[in-house]
Amino acid sequence: MPPLSSAQKTAIANFVEITGASERTASRYLKNSNYRFDEAIGVFYTSGASSAGAAAAGTRDSQLNQLFDSYRNEQEDAKDTLGASSAMSYLQSIGVGFEDASLFLAVELLQAPSIGEITRAGFLNGWRDAGAAKADAQTAHLSRLSSSMSRDRDLFRKVYRYAFVAGKEKEQRALSLEMALLYWDTLFKAPGQSWVGSETKINWLDQWKAFLDETWTRSVNRDMWNQCLEFAYKSIDDETLDFWNEDGAWPGVIDEFVAWYKKKRGMEVDA
């Protein structure tokens, strides 16, 4: 099935917001109407699905709120928030690994503002969209997503990029190098995407870390973080680095890494 266009994704989001239906229901009605939005909305309401959908949504939200509150510490956690201890207890209960990419997968799904904090709004919205109101369904959903991260580059990209948002200190605009290295180690291993060449199996993550250890003392900003993944995908597919040239749009640190690696391997550093 071809991926949804941005217009189709927007139509689904608007349908859900207006009707309270699930994304799956919204997608079905919109597909049946060839994404004619007003027609899909009309069919939804005249079919009686709206009443059933509202009742189901109310039950689902009640279940989600009850689950959220069962983990919230009234004395320690801020209003409508799971603090660090409560959030970790909840994530552990649904099978999240705190030392692998499934942690960032859950954090992105719930749009957690930080690794140690989950808001009620993020919790409800994330599980509404996933159609998982109970803990066992949430565990199963995360397990399915985790198993596909190493193959689904779009999913992994979404998780990887959100790791920067949730992983940095709230008042900071960049990650410390120490934290970035920790997160790269966490993300670039199973169940995440391994940064290893497809042919010779060169471990690019080890090379990247060695380069940074020798030459880099600054923090890691969003552009460097995001472009590191794009470079990773390119280097997985092309271990010769022939895709790189000095006139490309890579950040300077990527250019420096390529020059460092080619010099180390005795390769010609060409334009």
Side-chain angles (χ1 to χ4, degrees):
M1 184 175 65
L4 296 174
S5 68
S6 59
Q8 289 171 332
K9 290 178 181 177
T10 299
I12 290 172
N14 289 339
F15 192 105
V16 170
E17 182 176 0
I18 291 171
T19 65
S22 67
E23 285 194 355
R24 185 177 300 174
T25 298
S27 179
R28 185 174 75 250
Y29 276 89
L30 285 163
K31 284 180 181 177
N32 289 342
S33 67
N34 291 320
Y35 282 87
R36 291 187 289 270
F37 188 80
D38 290 341
E39 179 181 325
I41 290 286
V43 172
F44 176 82
Y45 282 115
T46 57
S47 69
S50 57
S51 298
T59 300
R60 177 197 59 209
D61 285 1
S62 177
Q63 291 173 329
L64 287 170
N65 276 307
Q66 287 177 17
L67 181 59
F68 184 89
D69 288 331
S70 73
Y71 282 93
R72 184 170 171 271
N73 187 315
E74 194 72 39
Q75 284 71 45
E76 297 180 4
D77 297 341
K79 182 181 178 182
D80 294 326
T81 300
L82 298 182
S85 179
S86 301
M88 293 301 106
S89 294
Y90 166 68
L91 293 174
Q92 186 176 37
S93 75
I94 58 171
V96 171
F98 296 152
E99 297 183 356
D100 64 46
S102 67
L103 172 61
F104 291 108
L105 173 66
V107 165
E108 193 283 327
L109 188 150
L110 301 176
Q111 292 294 288
S114 67
I115 293 173
E117 180 182 356
I118 298 172
T119 65
R120 187 183 299 273
F123 186 88
L124 265 65
N125 289 335
W127 291 125
R128 277 176 190 151
D129 291 346
K134 296 183 179 180
D136 56 350
Q138 294 166 8
T139 301
H141 183 75
L142 275 177
S143 178
R144 286 194 297 272
L145 290 179
S146 290
S147 67
S148 65
M149 264 198 298
S150 64
R151 303 183 304 275
D152 187 337
R153 288 189 172 184
D154 288 337
L155 171 61
F156 184 72
R157 179 182 285 110
K158 182 168 65 172
V159 171
Y160 175 94
R161 290 190 170 190
Y162 197 77
F164 180 90
V165 176
K168 66 181 179 62
E169 295 293 332
K170 289 183 179 180
E171 68 276 9
Q172 299 297 318
R173 298 176 62 121
L175 285 170
S176 69
L177 179 58
E178 179 183 7
M179 294 309 296
L181 288 167
L182 175 63
Y183 295 159
W184 279 319
D185 274 334
T186 303
L187 287 157
F188 285 123
K189 68 178 181 182
Q193 172 73 66
S194 295
W195 189 1
V196 175
S198 58
E199 295 295 330
T200 66
K201 306 303 179 185
I202 180 172
N203 190 319
W204 284 115
L205 177 59
D206 282 353
Q207 297 297 321
W208 174 244
K209 288 162 57 182
F211 160 75
L212 294 174
D213 183 60
E214 288 183 22
T215 68
W216 195 259
T217 58
R218 286 172 280 171
S219 59
V220 176
N221 63 25
R222 187 190 294 266
D223 184 56
M224 177 177 170
W225 178 262
N226 288 346
Q227 288 302 310
C228 175
L229 178 62
E230 303 311 315
F231 181 81
Y233 282 157
K234 291 281 191 180
S235 60
I236 289 169
D237 296 335
D238 179 5
E239 294 161 295
T240 67
L241 303 182
D242 283 347
F243 62 87
W244 175 88
N245 69 77
E246 65 180 11
D247 297 322
W250 298 108
V253 65
I254 298 291
D255 295 336
E256 292 169 19
F257 170 68
V258 172
W260 173 89
Y261 177 76
K262 288 193 171 187
K263 181 179 180 181
K264 175 182 173 183
R265 295 293 298 269
M267 300 164 66
E268 182 180 353
V269 183
D270 50 11

